[in-house]
Amino acid sequence: MKNIRYAWFAIVLLTFGQSCKKDSEYLNKQPTNTLSVEATWKDPNLVLSVIGDLYDRYPDFQTIESWWEFTDFDEAFASNGGDYGRHQNAEFGYDNWNWWDYGYIRDLNVFLKRGQEATALSEADKNRFIAEARFIRAGVYFELVKRMGGVPLITEPMEYNYSGDPTYLQHARAKESEIYDFVISELEAVKNKLPNSAGTQSRATKGAALAMESRAALYAASIAKYGVSTGQVSLPGGEVGIPASMATAYYQKSLQAAKEIISDGQYSLYKKNPNLSDNFSSLFTDKANNPEVIFAKDFKLKTNKVHGYTINNQPRSSAEEQQGGRLNPSLNLVQSFEKLDNTYASLASVDASGNPVYYTGITDIFAGRDARLAGTVILPGTQFKNKTVDIWAGYMLANGTIITGDNFGQTKKDVLPGKPGTVQVVGADGPIDGLEFSAQSGFYVRKYLDPATGSGQIGTRSEVWWIRYRYAEVLLNAAEASFALGDAQGAADYLKPVRDRAGLTTALTAGDMSLDRLVHERRVELAFEGHELWDMKRWRLADKAWNGNAMSVADFTNATNIGVAARTNTQVFGLWPYKYYNPGDANDGKYVFKLVKPSKVTAAHRFRLGNYYSLINQDIINRNPKIVKNPNQ
């Protein structure tokens, strides 16, 4: 094996915490050549470069590096011609979300073997590198199991002996529960071998191991508890499906891991800005002493590690380049944010008699809501980079006639009765149906948009990080596990600080606790963070909410179903503001709103039972006949 060579990835692909060298030295270093295994494992800086590559290969679904994936379900509309098909395909493919990278697992296993054999490193460096690789490997198996179910569990590098018989390399799928057990046990084994440092956020720490353990155990518990509602989503060998009898133990493990983070006291909710909406938005962009971030994929300007999320999604009218506007949050999501008195309410566009509701200011319709709404979504009339976003769909006349345009900020002459001259007839950001990059849902995204000057320029881009684990999720995990274990008051107590930060003034009681409430809380707190698919799958709600049934305006005007976890959510709707024009009338100059379904939304999402676990490609099965197929496909 001495001829195995590691590529020296000397540009470390993520910003590391305190170790070996300063962050900036790694990110600015240029590659020179390749080094032998022996040379690499004598120098902790070189080993760090290798493990930096292993970190960077960690798989994510729905991230700031792939904005379009946030439009696959009901959180947002894709205002981009090449992505309209996401709203026009009724069924999700069975191969959606699949991932099967045993080359990556082999590289991790080889790294671990070399680390265990290394003699030139200090014990402290050696132990940390080994613990980090085990942390990454646990995360990789977690990513595999939540996509594929049970997979072959391989923890040693396998070598072909060129005998002509490869059958000894073929492994059957482990049970789904066995993969979760492996993930949890690995994280338990390494947590105390990793730094217990809240200031280290892009390398594995004790907090990151516990956060992953809490999430993984919660997923396993949910599948065991709620899988009884989809009994046909299972395999007789346990490769898919977890017995209900295992739920309690997994919930206990999830809660214990969360409690360990909480009691340690190193992490806390981000609370730097007295404006609660701005505070929530800043949580995702502030990298200076951010106490909430536990584990993140980092980026750095003036390296090859930057991204274009802000370029792609900045408000079009104030864009630093002629780019932006692609990710339009849906009314489905916006209306989920409750009122400050803990009640749900539709965004009233008409009164009980069907007459328009008139609003003096364009933002008034959103007043008195959870502060996370304006921290997640750019609402009409609000600002980004100190510039007001110009979202309004046109003029509405007294007889209901609409005066509008078909391009950004278009003007027309002599179109308003009694008012000769040229006037702007539509916002500089739209919404204009079918016009790419306009706010076709009536909204732009705010979460993860970089407020720094230059972040919306092609030549600069953004270094905002992608947060994989944060403290608020730990509290939500603890709440859900507590509720499942019969402690409803404990669940309410864990939710309280998260909701307090959002400006919700009435504490929830034990009697308020339900699965619906917990689902709601994760939906609004964790929107655009890559949780929705996996949460809906583990709760076995995906086939119920994404049921293939078309939606109508009535689904949004009926407030009774807003907080229902299993409510139909198959098509993206929007909310468009209009300026009311009726000179002499008391409502002249006010705003009215219309619920709309963008014309590019032509199909209703249908999540089939076969989508709970992704397709294992036939070429994988051909190479290894011991692999059994996933059910219902």
Side-chain angles (χ1 to χ4, degrees):
M1 295 296 294
K2 289 185 178 180
N3 60 345
I4 293 179
R5 304 176 74 83
Y6 282 95
W8 179 8
F9 293 93
I11 296 181
V12 176
L13 300 179
L14 48 153
T15 303
F16 291 115
Q18 298 297 318
S19 82
C20 303
K21 288 194 176 184
K22 294 180 180 178
D23 299 347
S24 58
E25 291 182 34
Y26 278 108
L27 290 164
N28 293 325
K29 199 169 183 180
Q30 297 300 314
T32 56
N33 57 7
T34 58
L35 298 176
S36 68
V37 172
E38 290 80 2
T40 298
W41 281 95
K42 289 179 180 179
D43 186 339
N45 294 322
L46 300 184
V47 180
L48 183 59
S49 296
V50 175
I51 203 168
D53 174 65
L54 295 174
Y55 272 112
D56 199 61
R57 291 162 64 186
Y58 191 92
D60 292 295
F61 171 69
Q62 294 186 312
T63 78
I64 50 179
E65 295 181 273
S66 55
W67 68 266
W68 51 90
E69 291 173 338
F70 288 122
T71 68
D72 283 345
F73 309 106
D74 55 51
E75 285 186 326
F77 176 81
S79 190
N80 183 58
D83 289 285
Y84 287 151
R86 297 174 185 275
H87 308 290
Q88 299 166 357
N89 183 19
E91 293 182 340
F92 298 107
Y94 289 138
D95 60 346
N96 283 17
W97 324 301
N98 70 356
W99 186 71
W100 192 278
D101 190 351
Y102 274 86
Y104 187 14
I105 291 175
R106 173 179 164 73
D107 289 346
L108 285 160
N109 288 337
V110 168
F111 182 94
L112 285 165
K113 184 174 187 295
R114 293 301 175 200
Q116 291 157 358
E117 294 170 347
T119 59
L121 295 178
S122 70
E123 280 301 301
D125 283 338
K126 177 177 176 178
N127 290 340
R128 182 176 182 184
F129 287 137
I130 289 173
E132 285 183 281
R134 291 176 71 181
F135 168 87
I136 297 170
R137 187 177 62 179
V140 168
Y141 272 108
F142 183 22
E143 292 297 320
L144 278 166
V145 72
K146 72 185 189 184
R147 290 166 167 81
M148 317 302 297
V151 294
L153 181 55
I154 300 171
T155 59
E156 298 290 337
M158 297 191 300
E159 294 296 327
Y160 180 49
N161 60 15
Y162 299 98
S163 66
D165 179 13
T167 56
Y168 72 97
L169 297 174
Q170 297 169 350
H171 289 66
R173 296 174 65 182
K175 294 179 179 180
E176 185 172 13
S177 60
E178 290 172 338
I179 299 299
Y180 276 108
D181 289 344
F182 172 75
V183 171
I184 293 166
S185 64
E186 281 290 278
L187 295 168
E188 272 292 305
V190 303
K191 69 181 184 184
N192 290 319
K193 298 178 181 179
L194 294 166
N196 189 17
S197 169
T200 301
Q201 294 159 310
S202 55
R203 290 180 72 177
T205 60
K206 181 179 181 179
L210 287 167
M212 186 185 293
E213 180 181 350
S214 179
R215 186 191 293 179
L218 187 66
Y219 279 29
S222 307
I223 292 166
K225 179 178 176 66
Y226 299 109
V228 295
S229 68
T230 52
Q232 61 271 58
V233 184
S234 62
L235 287 172
E239 298 90 350
V240 164
I242 299 176
S245 60
M246 301 179 75
T248 296
Y250 282 127
Y251 278 123
Q252 289 170 339
K253 289 177 181 177
S254 177
L255 181 58
Q256 181 55 44
K259 282 183 172 181
E260 196 166 344
I261 295 173
I262 295 166
S263 62
D264 190 49
Q266 292 211 45
Y267 301 95
S268 61
L269 295 177
Y270 181 93
K271 296 180 182 179
K272 292 188 181 182
N273 193 321
N275 181 303
L276 300 183
S277 294
D278 290 346
N279 181 76
F280 189 68
S281 176
S282 296
L283 153 62
F284 301 94
T285 60
D286 183 0
K287 294 160 65 172
N289 300 314
N290 190 322
E292 185 160 343
V293 176
I294 299 174
F295 182 55
K297 180 177 182 179
D298 210 352
F299 298 84
K300 186 173 179 61
L301 293 177
K302 299 181 181 180
T303 72
N304 66 339
K305 287 297 295 179
V306 291
H307 60 80
Y309 181 80
T310 300
I311 293 172
N312 288 324
N313 299 304
Q314 62 193 326
R316 182 73 176 198
S317 66
S318 58
E320 293 175 289
E321 300 270 5
Q322 286 300 305
Q323 295 276 345
R326 290 170 171 84
L327 185 59
N328 298 175
S330 65
L331 177 61
N332 316 45
L333 173 64
V334 168
Q335 193 162 273
S336 295
F337 291 85
E338 67 199 278
K339 296 174 66 177
L340 295 179
D341 62 0
N342 298 352
T343 63
Y344 301 108
S346 65
L347 287 162
S349 56
V350 296
D351 62 21
S353 300
N355 300 312
V357 176
Y358 299 92
Y359 295 90
T360 301
I362 196 170
T363 61
D364 290 352
I365 191 172
F366 308 106
R369 298 236 170 195
D370 184 332
R372 290 172 291 191
L373 170 57
T376 303
V377 176
I378 294 178
L379 304 170
T382 60
Q383 291 193 329
F384 179 66
K385 292 187 179 179
N386 298 316
K387 296 179 180 178
T388 299
V389 178
D390 194 32
I391 298 175
W392 55 283
Y395 285 94
M396 178 181 289
L397 305 185
N399 63 3
T401 300
I402 299 297
I403 306 296
T404 188
D406 56 11
N407 209 342
F408 298 103
Q410 187 173 352
T411 60
K412 291 184 178 180
K413 187 176 181 180
D414 299 336
V415 293
L416 296 180
K419 187 176 182 179
T422 300
V423 294
Q424 182 180 341
V425 296
V426 67
D429 289 301
I432 300 167
D433 190 42
L435 180 63
E436 289 182 287
F437 320 130
S438 73
Q440 292 191 57
S441 69
F443 310 103
Y444 285 135
V445 71
R446 184 177 185 188
K447 186 178 280 189
Y448 278 114
L449 274 198
D450 189 345
T453 300
S455 61
Q457 295 176 343
I458 293 173
T460 305
R461 298 182 179 261
S462 176
E463 65 177 5
V464 164
W465 51 12
W466 170 247
I467 302 170
R468 290 176 172 138
Y469 290 88
R470 62 185 178 93
Y471 185 66
E473 186 207 343
V474 172
L475 295 174
L476 297 181
N477 293 349
E480 186 176 342
S482 294
F483 178 73
L485 293 169
D487 183 6
Q489 186 57 56
D493 291 342
Y494 284 121
L495 291 183
K496 188 177 186 304
V498 179
R499 292 171 58 81
D500 285 350
R501 180 174 66 176
L504 295 152
T505 55
T506 304
L508 297 173
T509 67
D512 294 322
M513 289 296 98
S514 65
L515 178 62
D516 285 343
R517 170 56 66 179
L518 294 162
V519 170
H520 159 79
E521 203 60 45
R522 290 183 75 92
R523 179 172 175 80
V524 296
E525 175 71 25
L526 303 175
F528 301 116
E529 296 183 50
H531 290 268
E532 184 181 31
L533 173 64
W534 315 119
D535 279 345
M536 295 297 281
K537 284 176 59 174
R538 68 181 176 87
W539 290 319
R540 295 303 192 249
L541 291 173
D543 66 300
K544 300 170 180 65
W546 301 320
N547 55 26
N549 295 328
M551 300 179 69
S552 69
V553 168
D555 291 305
F556 295 90
T557 56
N558 178 10
T560 60
N561 69 356
I562 293 176
V564 176
R567 72 187 187 278
T568 297
N569 241 332
T570 58
Q571 295 177 300
V572 170
F573 272 66
L575 185 70
W576 288 10
Y578 291 87
K579 295 181 179 181
Y580 183 65
Y581 182 79
N582 187 9
D585 186 271
N587 292 315
D588 180 54
K590 293 184 178 181
Y591 288 89
V592 294
F593 290 79
K594 292 184 67 174
L595 276 69
V596 300
K597 181 173 71 174
S599 64
K600 300 300 182 181
V601 178
T602 60
H605 292 316
R606 187 162 79 94
F607 188 102
R608 297 168 287 175
L609 293 179
N611 291 123
Y612 274 108
Y613 295 90
S614 296
L615 179 74
I616 300 174
N617 294 332
Q618 188 60 45
D619 64 327
I620 294 172
I621 297 174
N622 291 343
R623 292 196 301 269
N624 182 1
K626 294 180 181 179
I627 299 292
V628 297
K629 294 182 178 181
N630 276 332
N632 307 303
Q633 298 175 352

